[in-house]
Amino acid sequence: QLERADEIIEKKRKLAGWYNQQLESLPVTLHKENKDILHVYWMYTILVENPEVRDNLREHLKQAGIETRPTFYPAHTMPMYTEKYQKHPVAEDIGWRGINLPSYPDLTKEDVEFICERIKEFFSNETN
C-alpha cells in the first residue's frame, strides 16, 4: 500500500475531521492534531470520563454493529513487566479510558455519521 500512502493518509485525515466535527459537543476528549505535526490518524481515538463509561459505550456500539477497540494497554502493565511493576498514572488513565473508533480508509461520511449518532444516542441516555 506504500504506492497509495498519500491517498490513504488524505482519507484518514478526512475521517478524523468528520469525527471531530460530529463529536465536538460530547463529553469526550477528541483525537486532535498537534500544532507542528502532520497527524496521519492511523487510528482515531476518543477518551471518555472513566473506564465504566468506556465499557458501556463500547457495548452500546457493539449492539449497533460497530466494532471498537480499547486503546493499547500501557506496556508497564503487561505480564512480562509484573516483577518490576511501576505506577505510571497518565499512561494508565489513558489506557483505561480510551476507545479506538473505526477508521479504515473505506469508511464513508455516512458511516461516520452513523457511528457518531450512536455515540450521541449513548450520551443522551442519562443512565450511563
Side-chain angles (χ1 to χ4, degrees):
Q1 295 185 352
L2 193 54
E3 297 83 18
R4 295 183 50 227
D6 290 340
E7 172 192 343
I8 292 169
I9 290 169
E10 181 181 337
K11 183 65 189 272
K12 299 278 262 179
R13 290 178 55 78
K14 187 177 288 188
L15 288 167
W18 293 337
Y19 273 125
N20 285 340
Q21 183 179 35
Q22 291 282 320
L23 300 176
E24 67 184 350
S25 65
L26 297 178
V28 299
T29 302
L30 302 176
H31 194 166
K32 296 218 175 170
E33 189 166 43
N34 287 333
K35 183 179 168 186
D36 297 325
I37 298 171
L38 177 71
H39 200 318
V40 298
Y41 292 99
W42 172 60
M43 298 181 117
Y44 186 86
T45 306
I46 60 172
L47 295 176
V48 296
E49 182 180 336
N50 63 57
E52 183 179 325
V53 170
R54 179 187 75 173
D55 295 343
N56 291 341
L57 175 55
R58 289 191 67 223
E59 181 59 31
H60 178 79
L61 294 172
K62 180 180 177 182
Q63 294 300 317
I66 301 166
E67 183 179 351
T68 63
R69 301 265 190 242
T71 52
F72 292 108
Y73 294 108
H76 72 282
T77 66
M78 300 295 178
M80 64 198 96
Y81 299 111
T82 57
E83 289 182 22
K84 296 181 180 182
Y85 183 76
Q86 298 177 6
K87 295 289 290 171
H88 295 279
V90 174
E92 293 163 22
D93 180 54
I94 291 169
W96 311 151
R97 294 187 303 123
I99 302 172
N100 293 316
L101 297 177
S103 61
Y104 52 93
D106 292 332
L107 282 175
T108 65
K109 187 172 186 179
E110 291 75 24
D111 294 330
V112 172
E113 288 171 351
F114 177 79
I115 294 164
C116 292
E117 286 303 316
R118 300 298 71 78
I119 295 171
K120 290 173 186 175
E121 177 182 271
F122 173 82
F123 283 108
S124 70
N125 181 349
E126 292 183 18
T127 62
N128 300 316

